[in-house]
Amino acid sequence: MNRLEISSYIEGDLENTADYISQNNPRRAVTFIRELRKKFYDIQFNPLIYQLRPDIGEEARMAYVGRYAILFRVMGNIVRIERGAYCGRNLVDILSCE
């Protein structure tokens, strides 16, 4: 089984996303963050089925929940969730600002 690691950036990414959604729909903000967290575990169990994105970074992969991208890397048996962001943002800049 793969070990899941979460970068220190993720909590801020999720908080920003929840704050944005909750401006119009607080209940949806809570359910959407739950969906994202569930997706982390889906990624952990089958990381190689997701799109490889060498344009974003070495070993970078991307999964989606609606229009939200989850950027992660697979390093041996470790799956590291790096960042999460709305797909309309410049994802290369988001991952490179670590």
Side-chain angles (χ1 to χ4, degrees):
M1 176 192 289
N2 296 312
R3 188 174 83 206
L4 183 64
E5 290 184 358
I6 307 290
S7 82
S8 60
Y9 294 97
I10 285 295
E11 288 307 319
D13 292 344
L14 295 178
E15 187 175 312
N16 291 339
T17 299
D19 288 347
Y20 180 78
I21 295 170
S22 68
Q23 292 173 14
N24 295 316
N25 191 339
R27 187 169 289 143
R28 179 60 183 140
V30 171
T31 61
F32 188 67
I33 297 304
R34 284 185 189 145
E35 289 174 33
L36 292 174
R37 289 188 184 280
K38 181 189 178 305
K39 189 68 166 183
F40 295 168
Y41 294 99
D42 293 344
I43 292 167
Q44 176 185 7
F45 290 106
N46 289 303
L48 300 179
I49 68 170
Y50 297 96
Q51 180 182 8
L52 196 57
R53 293 292 305 266
D55 58 312
I56 293 176
E58 187 175 335
E59 300 301 319
R61 291 181 179 269
M62 191 174 315
Y64 298 95
V65 175
R67 301 187 84 193
Y68 193 88
I70 299 169
L71 305 167
F72 68 97
R73 290 188 171 103
V74 179
M75 299 167 290
N77 70 334
I78 298 170
V79 175
R80 182 171 167 81
I81 307 293
E82 300 287 357
R83 300 299 303 258
Y86 172 69
C87 291
R89 294 186 59 195
N90 185 329
L91 300 175
V92 173
D93 287 347
I94 291 168
L95 194 58
S96 67
C97 72
E98 297 180 356

